[in-house]
Amino acid sequence: MRKRLIAGNWKLNGDWSLCQQFIAAFAAEKPAKQQADVDVIVCPPAVYLARFAELIQSESSLLQLGAQDVSTEKQGAYTGEIAATMLSELAVGYGIAGHSERRHRFAETDQQVVNKMLNLFAANVTPIVCVGEPIEQREAGKAEDFIESQLIPVATALAEQGLNGRPMAIAYEPIWAVGTGKSATPEQAQSMHAYIRSVIARFIDTDELRVIYGGSVTPDNATALMAMPDIDGALIGGASLDPKQFVALANV
Ligand code: 13P
């Protein structure tokens, strides 16, 4: 039985006040679900991670922290970058690699996504590696081929580096569903999640691999998505900016 993973990706949104509101909401609402049932992760902009981490610790909050991105490099003359080891020093437990916005707006390559993932593993930060097809690929009936092409470099590195069994997650985020209000149906997502598991299973064991869905997830559609056997959680953008909605999502 895989433990559910609910992760909120704030992207370039939020401020210190929102961080405090999240701590307050989780303290006040007392989520029915506990850490034994679900990992609840917030990924604020990196500048908030240190203070957020202190607050989470002092309030014993259910929340855990994730980073939205990480450097492909380990250290050196890379202005503006943040290394995986710096994240682990702040008790950041998770790191996103390869979000579609980074792949497209910042032209991140599959190799860079792999390097980020490996740096996260090396620093004991659990990677959440994102894949997702554009609408053109889905309409052309080529969604699985596209996803497979994104997965092969990741799975190859996992096998080659002996990372079998290490905790990680794959986030399936179809680009046409991200920020559009048009979520994949539970059946569409289930079918792709099962496919993702089957591709990775050619390289490593996938019994413990969490495959989570992202793309216009809200408290209204989360229950049906989460009921699917291969949907192990969600990566949430817009709805993760509202503390009440995020508490509701943690409780699904
Ligand atoms: P939305 O939930 O706003 O569609 O964003 C999904 C996403 O990109 C999470 O990383």
Side-chain angles (χ1 to χ4, degrees):
M1 181 69 182
R2 293 178 290 270
K3 188 176 173 186
R4 186 172 293 172
L5 173 59
I6 298 289
N9 174 11
W10 288 6
K11 309 187 180 182
L12 188 53
N13 297 296
D15 51 21
W16 177 238
S17 165
L18 189 64
C19 300
Q20 292 170 305
Q21 287 171 42
F22 264 69
I23 300 287
F26 272 81
E29 307 272 338
K30 300 220 181 346
K33 297 257 166 126
Q34 297 300 316
Q35 197 139 2
D37 313 306
V38 58
D39 285 317
V40 185
I41 318 297
V42 185
C43 306
V47 290
Y48 299 116
L49 287 169
R51 277 168 91 193
F52 212 157
E54 282 174 19
L55 205 52
I56 284 174
Q57 205 174 16
S58 68
E59 301 289 328
S60 307
S61 178
L62 176 68
L63 292 169
Q64 302 175 58
L65 280 181
Q68 297 177 16
D69 191 24
V70 66
S71 182
T72 55
E73 306 303 323
K74 290 192 165 57
Q75 67 170 61
Y78 301 99
T79 302
E81 291 290 275
I82 297 173
T85 47
M86 298 169 184
L87 297 174
S88 61
E89 247 190 326
L90 296 179
V92 172
Y94 291 78
I96 299 173
H99 192 281
S100 60
E101 287 151 16
R102 300 231 41 107
R103 289 180 189 261
H104 292 99
R105 291 179 183 267
F106 301 94
E108 252 177 47
T109 64
D110 285 333
Q111 186 57 53
Q112 286 175 313
V113 175
V114 166
N115 291 350
K116 289 180 179 203
M117 175 185 80
L118 294 178
N119 285 348
L120 289 168
F121 273 123
N124 282 320
V125 180
T126 301
I128 301 174
V129 177
C130 302
V131 296
E133 81 283 2
I135 187 69
E136 296 78 18
Q137 303 291 333
R138 177 150 289 262
E139 286 178 345
K142 297 196 164 129
E144 288 188 350
D145 292 348
F146 187 89
I147 296 299
E148 183 175 6
S149 76
Q150 289 185 322
L151 288 174
I152 296 290
V154 170
T156 303
L158 291 170
E160 283 178 0
Q161 301 294 323
L163 294 162
N164 200 1
R166 289 282 295 274
M168 74 168 294
I170 300 284
Y172 171 56
E173 297 207 312
I175 295 170
W176 44 271
V178 171
T180 59
K182 188 179 177 301
S183 168
T185 65
E187 293 73 23
Q188 281 173 321
Q190 163 59 30
S191 159
M192 188 60 89
H193 282 221
Y195 183 69
I196 287 170
R197 198 175 293 289
S198 75
V199 171
I200 304 225
R202 290 190 231 143
F203 296 82
I204 58 163
D205 298 332
T206 55
D207 293 349
E208 300 298 321
L209 175 72
R210 292 188 282 189
V211 184
I212 64 176
Y213 169 78
S216 300
V217 175
T218 66
D220 292 336
N221 61 21
T223 305
L225 285 161
M226 243 51 93
M228 292 291 164
D230 285 291
I231 302 185
D232 303 315
L235 182 56
I236 302 139
S240 79
L241 292 168
D242 180 322
K244 273 200 159 30
Q245 287 199 50
F246 197 61
V247 171
L249 284 159
N251 272 329
V252 163

